């Protein structure tokens, strides 16, 4: 039993370490990115699922950016409201409980807290090539 507990703890530490190396980074003022999960998909060779929680301070935002070319992203607003604009779609405000997705190759022109007074957060789940080392890259 003790060996199983040790192996589980070591596995958790390794997973957290890998998630923090998975390319999640803070890009903009008032933006905080926390890796929370990473796992290779056993039924889809070469693909992994990575999850991060993005928290925006009041008025916080990310600069225009894109994600790894292989990344399909599902985002769920956990608290507050997030203004988002992907590709040529109009900007939209998503509130707690609402969700959106980004297809591979999408450009994320706006990602910000819609409030200047209340923090906001979202869960972003990436399905990505396992060997992609940067999840998010700022646009020039």
């Amino acid at each position: 039993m003790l060996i199983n507990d040790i192996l589980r703890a070591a596995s958790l530490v390794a997973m957290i370490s890998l998630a923090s190396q998975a390319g999640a980074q803070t890009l903009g003022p008032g933006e905080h990115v926390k890796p929370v999960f990473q796992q290779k998909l056993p039924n889809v060779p070469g693909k992994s699922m990575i999850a991060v929680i993005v928290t925006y301070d009041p008025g916080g935002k990310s600069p225009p950016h894109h994600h790894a070319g292989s990344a399909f992203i599902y985002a769920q607003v956990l608290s507050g409201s997030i203004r988002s604009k992907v590709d040529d779609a109009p900007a939209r405000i998503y509130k707690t409980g609402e969700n959106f997705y980004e297809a591979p190759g999408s450009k994320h022109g706006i990602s910000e807290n819609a409030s200047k007074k209340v923090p906001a957060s979202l869960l972003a789940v990436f399905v990505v090539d396992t060997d992609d080392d940067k999840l998010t890259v700022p646009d020039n």
Side-chain angles (χ1 to χ4, degrees):
M1 189 72 157
L2 181 59
I3 299 275
N4 285 339
D5 292 338
I6 292 170
L7 289 174
R8 272 190 226 124
S11 176
L12 180 61
V13 167
M15 184 173 66
I16 291 168
S17 173
L18 284 172
S20 67
Q21 296 169 13
Q25 72 262 12
T26 298
L27 297 176
E31 172 197 43
H32 312 279
V33 179
K34 178 182 175 187
V36 294
F37 178 83
Q38 180 170 341
Q39 180 66 48
K40 289 181 180 178
L41 298 177
N43 60 336
V44 187
K47 294 287 187 181
S48 291
M49 181 180 290
I50 299 170
V52 300
I53 294 179
V54 181
T55 304
Y56 290 110
D57 295 338
K61 59 180 158 182
S62 305
H65 61 274
H66 61 279
H67 298 286
S70 67
F72 177 87
I73 302 158
Y74 166 80
Q76 174 85 31
V77 178
L78 301 175
S79 64
S81 55
I82 305 285
R83 180 178 295 108
S84 179
K85 178 181 179 357
V86 177
D87 289 332
D88 294 329
R92 178 172 167 203
I93 294 176
Y94 296 89
K95 297 180 180 182
T96 302
E98 295 183 321
N99 60 69
F100 59 93
Y101 75 93
E102 295 180 44
S106 296
K107 302 290 184 194
H108 206 155
I110 298 172
S111 183
E112 62 189 11
N113 188 338
S115 172
K116 302 277 188 223
K117 295 181 180 180
V118 179
S121 65
L122 64 86
L123 171 70
V125 179
F126 294 70
V127 176
V128 66
D129 287 347
T130 299
D131 60 357
D132 280 341
D133 60 347
K134 286 200 173 194
L135 294 181
T136 306
V137 178
D139 293 337
N140 294 331

